[in-house]
Amino acid sequence: MSPRTTATRLGILAAGGALAALTVTGPAAAQDDRNSHPPVYKGRVTAKSGLLLHTAPTRGSRVVRSVPHGKVVTIYCKTKGDRVGRTSLWYLLTDGTWAWGSANYIATIGKSPRWC
């Protein structure tokens, strides 16, 4: 066998081994990455005068800040709290400070947020 043929065969073996390693570790690595970072959910504020964000999913809790109408917010999760309008769902928002906003005034974009 010539040196060139041996080098070619070794190159093919090395490439095959690398491909096999990626096949075995690729999905596992992707699974680990998915579990380490929670999914990101988005929503748009629909309250005409802006949305008041609270320290808890209750109307009587302290107001932390407000978000203007039309702003897109990042939602971490949802839970049940005080009824506001037609719903008792509240979203935990992660923009700047962690605060709760009533789902009655946030239209989700894409998938519905996970439960807290």
Side-chain angles (χ1 to χ4, degrees):
M1 196 172 343
S2 74
R4 184 172 182 191
T5 305
T6 303
T8 302
R9 286 185 181 180
L10 287 174
I12 291 171
L13 280 173
L19 181 59
L22 282 175
T23 302
V24 172
T25 61
Q31 181 68 27
D32 290 344
D33 190 42
R34 259 196 319 270
N35 290 337
S36 63
H37 302 290
V40 174
Y41 304 99
K42 296 286 185 179
R44 185 176 308 279
V45 174
T46 60
K48 295 294 182 198
S49 59
L51 175 63
L52 297 178
L53 300 182
H54 296 261
T55 56
T58 60
R59 296 182 332 166
S61 62
R62 187 171 60 89
V63 173
V64 178
R65 62 187 173 94
S66 66
V67 180
H69 175 265
K71 172 117 169 105
V72 174
V73 293
T74 303
I75 303 168
Y76 183 74
C77 61
K78 66 183 173 186
T79 194
K80 290 195 176 210
D82 285 354
R83 177 169 288 283
V84 176
R86 341 176 276 273
T87 186
S88 60
L89 288 180
W90 288 68
Y91 296 139
L92 180 57
L93 307 181
T94 62
D95 300 310
T97 57
W98 290 67
W100 294 93
S102 170
N104 190 62
Y105 298 111
I106 302 172
T108 55
I109 300 170
K111 289 177 59 174
S112 178
R114 67 186 176 97
W115 289 95
C116 296

